[in-house]
């Protein structure tokens, strides 16, 4: 039988992990031999969601094995965010909500990207289109993904479709949206156990902007000052990454989930572009407060890309 | 109001023209100010379909004007097949059934590619999803697109979904599928008025394979020998194109719509790859018969890509 592997991006977030789990389950219900996978560590927020709904994290894979015939990408399409040997495998589907870039196939495929706030919102539609019942566990996982990507429906990336799906799924999952949502976000924002290296790599994505290599890492926090208490160690880790990966810019984004602002740290030779993109001045520690900015995709990547 | 322009690929075929017309009509029904356009001459087959169902060809555009806010691509996604200033415009949607390559956006979009035989088959589904009634004219145009792309449902690219859509649409359009289909294909296969330049450009697509520039032109014919009666002139035109566009390979494909074979002519420094890809020997006039090969996308591009 044809074996299909389903996974999201590197430095997995809650949408990536939950969408891989849920879509594999849906594919199984449709008679496809599909298995979820992950390309990195499960973060504290995602672990909280998995525990709450009694789900297990998918298996970690370093590369796609020979016994796999097809892969399905969820929550990403850019090859640099995917598994290392992505160019050598047959991609049969993509379900995503990001811009399309650095992606190509040799053959036609099912590629479904929609400008919504979360992959799970699209998956919820696919359940309906295929008339498959959403289990309590799957509803909880999809709900967690939407809460995570939309910062409890507050991000500018959140659409009416995401909101509607979230309310519907909260009902099936049997939780109160606000209460569960804040609990989950706080679990992710508890950074006390994280090393400086964890902080700059736990949710980091690479982008090619113009000719420049840009990495943007984001963490959610209840108290941004607490994160920057270890700014010296954070800077050392970022310097290493800039050298190792030949980055032109590393932007470290600490998002305050209660205030819905971001306190960012910019390093690398192209850091001036951050000042131009957001019309701010970096202070003497290379930091700036971006008022009302919470979305990497819609507010940071879009503005920053234009400067390169 | 936001103005949206909808168009298919250069060297337009029946799917490209009809899908632009039909999707613009559907968008208008949904309250979007959308206008269809074309990037090249309407061929004889498409003209037959337009005349038969009382439709007018969309307006020709050379480039996307400043007054247009958004563009929607149908039946293609690769930038080299699109309008010249495609990199400078905002693409909000893609509806396509080809491999994805050389495509990128700065922002999330609605990108819907499905591995079916024709864009119109996807459009027929979008009508249903939006609960918009398909008019007789739109049914006729979508039917014509499916017949064209599937060579009257005989191409290996034709899926069960295409077949089902074709039968359903023939019913609404009030035509007999086989009779109308053969008439339309023959109208396109009447090449008596075409110059050698017409033949090599009327349905030509460029591809990047590895580092190589490859152009593949396809014409349908009832009698392939009649087309090659002017092989000398055809070769001269191809030589010019190879020099002008710096092509590594030009493959001219004459598809016999009654026999469902293709008689191809290969020119350019990489022509050996054609022999390898199809396990044939080019004769002393650089021609070979590819038995059972009718689909550029599924049978030619796929096999050829692997050689580069
Ligand atoms: Mn996501
Ligand atoms: Mn087509």
């Amino acid at each position: 039988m044809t074996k299909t592997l389903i996974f999201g991006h590197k430095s997995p977030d809650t949408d990536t992990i939950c969408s891989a789990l849920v879509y594999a389950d849906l594919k199984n219900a449709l008679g496809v031999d599909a298995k979820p996978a992950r390309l990195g560590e499960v973060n504290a927020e995602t672990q909280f969601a998995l525990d709450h709904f009694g789900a297990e994290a998918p298996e970690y894979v370093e590369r796609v094995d020979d016994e796999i015939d097809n892969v399905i990408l969820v929550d990403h399409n850019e090859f640099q965010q995917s598994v290392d040997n992505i160019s050598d495998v047959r991609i049969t589907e993509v379900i995503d909500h990001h811009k399309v870039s650095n992606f190509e196939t040799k053959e036609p495929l099912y590629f479904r990207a929609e400008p919504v706030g979360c992959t799970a919102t699209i998956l919820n539609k696919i359940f309906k289109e295929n008339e498959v019942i959403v289990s309590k566990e799957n509803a909880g996982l999809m709900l967690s993904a939407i809460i995570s990507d939309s910062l409890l429906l507050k991000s500018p990336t959140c659409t009416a479709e995401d909101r509607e799906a979230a309310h519907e799924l909260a009902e099936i999952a049997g939780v109160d949206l606000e209460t569960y949502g804040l609990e989950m976000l706080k679990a992710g924002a508890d950074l006390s156990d994280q090393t400086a290296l964890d902080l700059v790599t736990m949710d980091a994505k690479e982008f090619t902007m113009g000719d420049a290599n840009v990495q943007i890492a984001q963490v959610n926090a209840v108290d941004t000052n607490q994160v920057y208490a270890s700014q010296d160690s954070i800077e050392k880790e970022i310097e290493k990454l800039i050298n190792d990966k030949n980055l032109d810019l590393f932007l470290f984004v600490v998002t305050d989930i209660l205030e819905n602002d971001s306190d960012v740290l910019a390093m690398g030779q192209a850091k001036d572009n951050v000042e131009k993109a957001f019309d701010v001045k970096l202070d003497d520690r290379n930091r700036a407060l971006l008022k009302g900015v919470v979305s990497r995709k819609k507010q940071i990547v879009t503005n920053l890309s234009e400067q390169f």
Side-chain angles (χ1 to χ4, degrees), chain A:
Chain A
M1 197 175 176
T2 311
K3 270 203 165 24
T4 300
L5 200 66
I6 305 181
F7 49 84
H9 53 77
K10 283 177 174 167
S11 303
D13 59 13
T14 302
D15 187 22
T16 264
I17 296 287
C18 292
S19 288
L21 286 170
V22 170
Y23 200 38
D25 208 40
L26 173 55
K27 284 289 179 188
N28 290 338
L30 296 171
V32 177
D33 184 10
K35 211 175 61 177
R38 63 183 163 90
L39 308 184
E41 289 302 304
V42 171
N43 69 35
E45 179 195 277
T46 308
Q47 192 59 54
F48 178 90
L50 295 176
D51 292 343
H52 198 279
F53 294 103
E56 277 199 39
E59 200 187 327
Y60 172 75
V61 299
E62 182 119 28
R63 47 187 288 119
V64 177
D65 280 347
D66 287 344
E67 88 232 23
I68 297 294
D69 303 295
N70 301 324
V71 306
I72 294 176
L73 309 187
V74 293
D75 199 34
H76 76 298
N77 66 81
E78 303 193 40
F79 279 7
Q80 77 277 13
Q81 297 170 6
S82 200
V83 76
D84 289 338
N85 61 336
I86 188 68
S87 310
D88 308 326
V89 300
R90 187 183 141 98
I91 306 166
T92 52
E93 290 190 35
V94 175
I95 314 288
D96 193 16
H97 65 123
H98 296 88
K99 75 189 176 87
V100 177
S101 188
N102 192 18
F103 175 87
E104 66 172 349
T105 58
K106 289 199 189 64
E107 285 169 77
L109 78 163
Y110 184 82
F111 191 117
R112 180 168 180 170
E114 301 190 22
V116 293
C118 180
T119 305
T121 300
I122 308 170
L123 294 184
N124 189 42
K125 282 160 74 171
I126 300 179
F127 270 93
K128 288 178 192 174
E129 289 162 12
N130 287 284
E131 294 173 5
V132 175
I133 300 283
V134 175
S135 69
K136 192 168 169 167
E137 177 181 324
N138 282 336
L141 297 177
M142 286 192 277
L143 172 66
S144 302
I146 298 173
I147 291 168
S148 172
D149 270 10
S150 71
L151 221 64
L152 201 31
L153 313 184
K154 288 199 192 77
S155 167
T157 58
C158 188
T159 67
E161 277 193 69
D162 299 300
R163 265 183 287 274
E164 209 175 300
H167 288 289
E168 189 179 303
L169 291 166
E171 183 100 16
I172 302 172
V175 297
D176 178 74
L177 177 57
E178 288 292 326
T179 316
Y180 170 73
L182 207 57
E183 246 186 297
M184 189 196 82
L185 290 179
K186 279 187 177 162
D190 176 8
L191 303 168
S192 48
D193 284 350
Q194 310 296 329
T195 65
L197 178 62
D198 291 339
L199 291 173
V200 300
T201 55
M202 61 194 284
D203 180 10
K205 285 189 187 173
E206 263 183 66
F207 301 89
T208 306
M209 300 184 180
D211 292 330
N213 294 319
V214 176
Q215 188 144 346
I216 306 177
Q218 185 172 30
V219 295
N220 290 339
V222 178
D223 179 0
T224 62
N225 287 323
Q226 199 187 315
V227 176
Y228 282 117
S230 57
Q231 184 167 347
D232 287 347
S233 326
I234 291 170
E235 283 181 11
K236 277 198 195 103
E237 294 299 344
I238 293 178
E239 259 161 34
K240 267 188 241 164
L241 287 166
I242 288 176
N243 288 330
D244 288 357
K245 297 187 164 191
N246 224 329
L247 301 173
D248 299 282
L249 174 65
F250 192 107
L251 189 65
F252 180 61
V253 180
V254 185
T255 299
D256 186 322
I257 60 169
L258 301 178
E259 299 293 332
N260 296 313
D261 293 328
S262 289
D263 190 342
V264 304
L265 166 65
M267 294 175 66
Q269 56 88 2
K271 71 181 179 193
D272 288 0
N273 283 326
V274 175
E275 298 192 326
K276 285 182 224 151
F278 301 99
D279 196 17
V280 292
K281 203 87 207 124
L282 292 169
D283 67 17
D284 55 355
R285 301 284 329 254
N286 291 315
R287 279 168 55 192
L289 182 70
L290 308 186
K291 295 291 289 179
V293 170
V294 299
S295 164
R296 173 164 51 192
K297 184 169 67 174
K298 202 140 185 165
Q299 296 172 301
I300 297 176
V301 174
T302 314
N303 282 316
L304 207 49
S305 294
E306 280 173 18
Q307 300 302 323
F308 282 93

